[in-house]
Amino acid sequence: MAAVSTTATDAIAAGAVATAQVQDQQHGQGHGREHHSDHQHAVHAQSLQQPPAGLRDNAPMHTPNTSIATRNARGWALPGIANLHSHAFQRAMAGLAERQTDPADSFWTWRETMYAMAARFDPDLLHAVASQLYVEMLEAGYTTVCEFHYLHHGPDGTPYAQADAMSQALLLAARDAGIRITLLPVLYMTGGFDGRPLSARQQRFGHSVDAYLRLLDTLRISEGDTVRIGCALHSLRAVPSDPMHEVLTALPAASRIHIHIAEQLPEVEECVALRGARPVEWLLDSVPVDARWTLVHATHLDDGEVQDIAGSGATVAICTTTEANLGDGLFPLRDYLDAGGRWGVGSDSNSSVDPVEELRWLEYGQRLRAQRRNIASSMRVPSVGSTLLNGAVASAADSTGFNQSDVIVLDADAAILAGATEGDVIDRWIFSGNRPLVRDVEVAGVRVVEDGRHRDREAIAARYREAMKVLLA
C-alpha cells in the first residue's frame, strides 16, 4: 500500500474541517457573558447540545498555533508535562476498588475503600509509595507534580511529634525521584456543607486555621529550585466560608491555590440547598479567583459557570482517568475552550499514571458524548494532540508556580513514529496506542530518565514492594 504523505493527509483533513467550520458558524458564536447572580441555576448539570466537530475558529483559545516539538540528536523533544493533581498514597490501591460493594457503587462507596487504605500509612510507607509513583510519572513524561496532600496526622488524628512528618515524606520522595513538586497541604475542617464534624476516619486530615497556617510557614523553608509550597482547600464542603477567607487573607500574594469543586452531583445539590448557589457560582461570587487558582474537576457546570471560570483566568485540572474510574461525568470541554478557558491534566487517584492516557481520553470522552470526531481542534490549530498538549503546557506555570521548562524526548527510532514530522508527532504519540515512547527526561537540567529507565528505578521499586507487603498485610 502506498504511503500517505502528511501533506495529503492535511488536504483530506482540511475539507472535513472546512465543513465543520460551516457547522460552527451555524451553531453560533458562543455564550454571552452573564454573571451568576443575575440568573437561576439548575441543580443538575445541563444537557448541552451536541457540539459540531472542532472548536469554533474564532474561540479565544490559549493555544499557540506553532509546533512545540523539535528534533534533536536523541529524538523528538517536547516540554515536560505538569501533573496538576495527585494523591500519592492512592497509588497503593490502584486496582483494589474494582469489585462491587454496593449495587449503586459510586464515588461515595469508593471513598470507603480509600479511607481504609489511608488509615494504614505512616511517613515511611508514604515515602516509599510516593517515590515509586514519582518515578512512574517521570518515565511517562510528567516533570512536575502538584501533590494535593491531606494525610497529615496519625490514623486517630493525633499529630506526629514532627508535625510536618507526612509532608516531609513527600518532599523527600520528590527529591529522591528528581521530580519538581508543588506541595499543596490541604485544609480539611468539616464533613459536609452543614458543618458536621469530621468522622473518625477523617480525623487525620483535619486542622484548625492556626495549625494549618503554621504548617505552611514551616514548609516554606523547603522551597527551592524544584519545590514550591502552595495551598489546597479540600472543597467547599470541607472548608466553611469564614475559615476560607481567613486563610486566603494570610497567604503570600504569589501562593498557588487549588480546590476540589463540583466533582459530584450530590455536592452540587447540597451546596445549592445550604449555600443557595452552585459550588463554582458560590466560589466566584465569594472570593477573588484569578490565575493563581486551580479548580480541580469542575465537572458539573452550567453555561454561566463555564464562562465565568474562563473569564477569571483560573485553570481547571481535568483528571479524565480518575473521573471515568469514579463515574464522575464529563467536563464540558468544547464549551470551555470556546470560552477561552485554561486547563491542564492530573492523575488524581493514580489508577493510571500516563499523560498520554489523560489527554487521549479527554478528547475521546468528548467524541463519545458528541458522536463526532476531532473536538479539540480548529482551522487555526487542526491537530487535536497539539491543542491538548499546548493547552496543558500553557497553564503549567500559573498552576504550579514553576516558570522553568523541563524537557522530555520521545524515541524517534520507535516504529510507531517512523516518518514523523513536527506537524504530526504529537498526534502520533497521543493517539497511536500505549507503547512507552518517552526516551529521556530532564528536570532542572538533570537527566533523570535515560533510554526509558529512571536512574534509580530498581532501588525505589524494591522499597515500594516492601511497603506494599505492609500495607496489604
Side-chain angles (χ1 to χ4, degrees), residues 7 35 210 292 323 342 385 393:
T7 302
H35 198 268
D210 287 345
R292 298 174 303 147
E323 289 152 5
R342 299 167 64 84
V393 169

Side-chain angles (χ1 to χ4, degrees), residues 343-389:
W343 82 98
V345 295
S347 59
D348 193 356
S349 67
N350 295 302
S351 58
S352 174
V353 187
D354 186 354
V356 166
E357 190 168 17
E358 298 298 336
L359 293 167
R360 180 193 300 148
W361 278 102
L362 177 55
E363 168 71 15
Y364 279 178
Q366 304 301 312
R367 294 185 189 189
L368 289 169
R369 173 178 167 271
Q371 300 177 48
R372 294 185 176 90
R373 302 189 70 250
N374 300 330
I375 303 300
S377 65
S378 67
M379 284 291 288
R380 185 171 64 87
V381 188
S383 162
V384 174
S386 292
T387 298
L388 296 173
L389 183 58

Side-chain angles (χ1 to χ4, degrees), residues 205-457:
F205 311 158
H207 273 114
S208 67
V209 169
D210 287 345
Y212 178 71
L213 292 176
R214 285 197 301 271
L215 175 64
L216 295 186
D217 286 342
T218 300
L219 290 171
R220 288 194 193 103
I221 299 170
S222 301
E223 288 196 320
D225 290 345
T226 60
V227 176
R228 296 287 185 272
I229 304 300
C231 163
L233 308 169
H234 180 272
S235 56
L236 296 186
R237 69 176 184 273
V239 182
S241 177
D242 287 348
M244 178 182 293
H245 283 87
E246 188 175 351
V247 167
L248 293 176
T249 300
L251 292 177
S255 180
R256 271 42 181 186
I257 306 160
H258 291 225
I259 184 170
H260 290 135
I261 199 159
E263 179 181 4
Q264 289 282 321
L265 283 174
E267 173 192 355
V268 177
E269 293 168 346
E270 192 174 5
C271 190
V272 170
L274 295 176
R275 294 200 185 180
R278 298 168 62 88
V280 169
E281 174 192 9
W282 185 92
L283 182 71
L284 295 176
D285 282 348
S286 301
V287 299
V289 174
D290 56 24
R292 298 174 303 147
W293 285 73
T294 297
L295 309 188
V296 182
H297 304 303
T299 306
H300 299 286
L301 306 174
D302 70 11
D303 291 350
E305 289 172 311
V306 168
Q307 292 290 318
D308 286 352
I309 295 175
S312 74
T315 295
V316 174
I318 309 170
C319 308
T320 313
T321 59
T322 294
E323 289 152 5
N325 185 277
L326 298 180
D328 290 344
L330 289 171
F331 177 78
L333 179 67
R334 164 60 189 270
D335 286 357
Y336 186 65
L337 299 185
D338 275 356
R342 299 167 64 84
W343 82 98
V345 295
S347 59
D348 193 356
S349 67
N350 295 302
S351 58
S352 174
V353 187
D354 186 354
V356 166
E357 190 168 17
E358 298 298 336
L359 293 167
R360 180 193 300 148
W361 278 102
L362 177 55
E363 168 71 15
Y364 279 178
Q366 304 301 312
R367 294 185 189 189
L368 289 169
R369 173 178 167 271
Q371 300 177 48
R372 294 185 176 90
R373 302 189 70 250
N374 300 330
I375 303 300
S377 65
S378 67
M379 284 291 288
R380 185 171 64 87
V381 188
S383 162
V384 174
S386 292
T387 298
L388 296 173
L389 183 58
N390 290 1
V393 169
S395 68
D398 282 338
S399 193
T400 67
F402 290 107
N403 293 314
Q404 301 89 339
S405 296
D406 300 311
V407 179
I408 65 175
V409 178
L410 305 184
D411 183 3
D413 295 328
I416 199 66
L417 296 183
T421 69
E422 284 186 3
D424 63 22
V425 67
I426 297 173
D427 285 326
R428 293 174 71 171
W429 178 39
I430 294 174
F431 295 104
S432 294
N434 296 309
R435 293 182 66 86
L437 295 177
V438 175
R439 181 179 185 180
D440 300 334
V441 177
E442 292 186 5
V443 178
V446 177
R447 186 173 292 175
V448 292
V449 173
E450 185 166 6
D451 294 326
R453 295 183 67 84
H454 187 273
R455 62 188 180 186
D456 292 322
R457 178 197 275 188

Side-chain angles (χ1 to χ4, degrees), residues 47-62:
S47 178
L48 302 176
Q49 294 180 353
Q50 293 181 348
L55 293 167
R56 236 185 44 231
D57 205 44
N58 63 346
M61 296 166 58
H62 295 281

